[in-house]
Amino acid sequence: MPEPLQAPPRPAVALPPRPAMRRGLWALPLLLSLAFVAGVLTWLRSAERDEREQQRLDLISDALSLEAQIGARIELEQLYLVELATQLQSRQLQPAAFAAMPEVQQGLHRFWLSITWLDNANRFLAHLPEQAPQPPAAPLAGTASAGLSGHLSVPLASGQTLVARYSPSDMLRQSVPWWLARKYDVRLVDSFDEVIASTAEGRDVPGRQTYRVAMSPALGDRYLELIARDTITPWYRAFPMAMVVGFVVLIAGITWMLRRQVRDVSRAEQAWRTEAAWRSAMEDSLTVGLRARDLDGRLLYVNRALADMVGYAPEELVGQVPPMPYWPPDSLEEIMLRHRRNMAGNAPREGYQARWRHRGGRLLDVMVFEAPLVDARGQRIGWMGSIIDVTQARRLEERERHQTETMAHHARLTMLGEVASALAHELNQPLTAISSYNAGVINSVQRQPDPDPVVLRALQRLGEQAARAGRIVQRIREFLTRREPQLESCSLAAIVEGSVALLRRELDRQDVQLNLVLAPGLPPLVADAVLIEQVLINLVRNAGDALAGKDGPRRIEIRARRTPDEHFVRIDVIDNGPGLQGRSVEALCAPFYSTKPEGMGMGLAICRSILEAHHGAFDASETPGGGATFSLTLPLDLQPTAWPVEEVAL
Ligand code: ADP
């Protein structure tokens, strides 16, 4: 179903130029992708750095606070031990009562591994729990609190010493709050990096952050080390996921943009289609031909009107270079010169006239107006021509001019006719009298016994000339009394054959071969058959006269056919005689023009008058190969009624 035409969109030339930014829009997705990747990289790396820094700060503060707590705890234990020593001294207790002291039991309950009371020679006075005493600071193998042990000692007044041995591991376990233990592995190490105690259960994982603080001097040369349990995920681990998420978002955005773009494009395409439909409708409705040519004259475009004007399809014309197929071949040189002038930009602004040839051979008169053809950037790329077919107008002008001339001619002929009529009337009597008197004189001279033959011959010549003058006058009278044309439908073939039949014997005598070429299917003609017959008789007789002195074959041919436009019938009388010898049809048709000794010179003038009375045309031309061709053209569309014609003959 054809799409309904909408209002024509604004012409493309009126659109504002597209901003450079929009023209580069196609690269936006790529730029966005690159920017996104760079952004994600930077963001991930800075996030990792920040996280690492934050973890480090937490680690430091947690390490410091834990060190303070552990230091405080050790000091507290030291205080408990001092308190125990004070109790021992103030209550003068014996070693046997040592085990019953609640402070001792409480200490063992906490994280003391053992408590030992030494005398001033470092011998055991008491030792709890009661097992084989171990040398202080020796590793306690096989206990639950495996690892190195530490000890606290308090001197008593009598040179004795109270030594509490404890498990640093247990001490750590009891001192490190649960939430800290979940975040960090906590270790006590000595200056040789030997682990004294640790809350770590698994193996070391590389890449974890650690922080080490020196413990209070009371604990000796030891360090508290915190190792973050959580490792910071390297930025590149999160990169693929971030990319995937980011690209999904990006693709969603790009899809949306693409959708908009597709909608814009289809809208533009719709507008373009509408515009194209409008333009071709407008172009097809034009009667003015349009053609676009490049700077070399190659046809880039022709509209329907131009194609119809010259009878070629637009596809046949587009791409053609000069000489164009519609240039008449006989004036190529002149047209080429004009073409070069036009290509140089010197075509007249007010247009110029040209004559082209339709594919069918008919010539056209056209007016051509040239204008520069420019592209979107305003640069000249060729020429745009508008062409108007003025053939009809020219023909009308020509016909008008011809009619005016014909009228003047008729007026002249009428006047001449009147004069000739008067002359004929006036001369008839004296000529008859001359003839009568001459006949009388001849009779009288002949009756003489010895008539002078010279006088007699002169008188006879006088009589002959008077008779000839009388015949001329008679012919003139006949012309003047000719009836007006009576138009009726008649057969052209019958007319031609009728006139030929009248002349056949005469032509045979003259040894002239007559040939008839009548196109088949000639339509009936509306004409005065008697007058047309007279025209043909006159022309054939003239041709016979022209052939009289010719050696070799003498030929006359009568051809009848319809003209290509089908509105006329054309009859040619062709001979192979001496031809027109440069004389125009006007000269031949001039009244009283004759080259024959006895000719009156009115035959062709009358022929032309008869044809003009039929609205036809009369012409004469040279026969190719020698001879003359007289042509008459008669319209086929006359109405079969007598119409008021002026004088047909003189
Ligand atoms: P006429 O026959 O009396 O001479 P026309 O008007 O018929 O008068 O012819 C005028 C002249 O035209 C002729 O005298 C002749 O010179 C020339 N003419 C006519 N027909 C032919 C022809 N077929 N070939 C050559 N000349 C011709």
Side-chain angles (χ1 to χ4, degrees), residues 475 538-539 542-547 573 575 577-581 583 588-590 593-596 598-606 627-630:
R475 292 270 292 275
N538 199 12
L539 294 178
N542 272 352
D545 291 348
L547 289 167
V573 179
D575 64 59
L580 302 182
Q581 293 161 337
R583 294 166 296 176
L588 295 176
C589 291
Y593 172 80
S594 175
T595 54
K596 300 172 196 166
E598 303 231 327
M600 201 180 158
M602 289 304 295
L604 294 181
I606 291 168
T629 299
F630 285 83

Side-chain angles (χ1 to χ4, degrees), residues 438 441-442 444-446 448 450-463:
N438 190 52
V441 172
I442 289 173
S444 139
V445 170
Q446 279 174 336
Q448 296 289 321
D450 190 15
D452 185 346
V454 178
V455 173
L456 199 61
R457 178 114 188 98
L459 285 172
Q460 279 169 345
R461 283 277 165 89
L462 181 71

Side-chain angles (χ1 to χ4, degrees), residues 446-507:
Q446 279 174 336
R447 264 186 264 120
Q448 296 289 321
D450 190 15
D452 185 346
V454 178
V455 173
L456 199 61
R457 178 114 188 98
L459 285 172
Q460 279 169 345
R461 283 277 165 89
L462 181 71
E464 280 169 19
Q465 290 304 318
R468 184 177 172 230
R471 280 202 307 278
I472 292 174
V473 169
Q474 185 60 34
R475 292 270 292 275
I476 291 173
R477 281 193 129 175
E478 275 174 27
F479 292 138
L480 297 180
T481 54
R482 198 181 301 276
R483 60 195 175 84
E484 290 182 350
Q486 293 296 312
L487 299 181
E488 56 200 359
S489 184
C490 48
S491 153
L492 181 60
I495 293 174
V496 174
E497 278 155 10
S499 42
V500 165
L502 286 175
L503 295 166
R504 186 72 74 182
R505 210 184 285 161
E506 194 179 323
L507 294 174

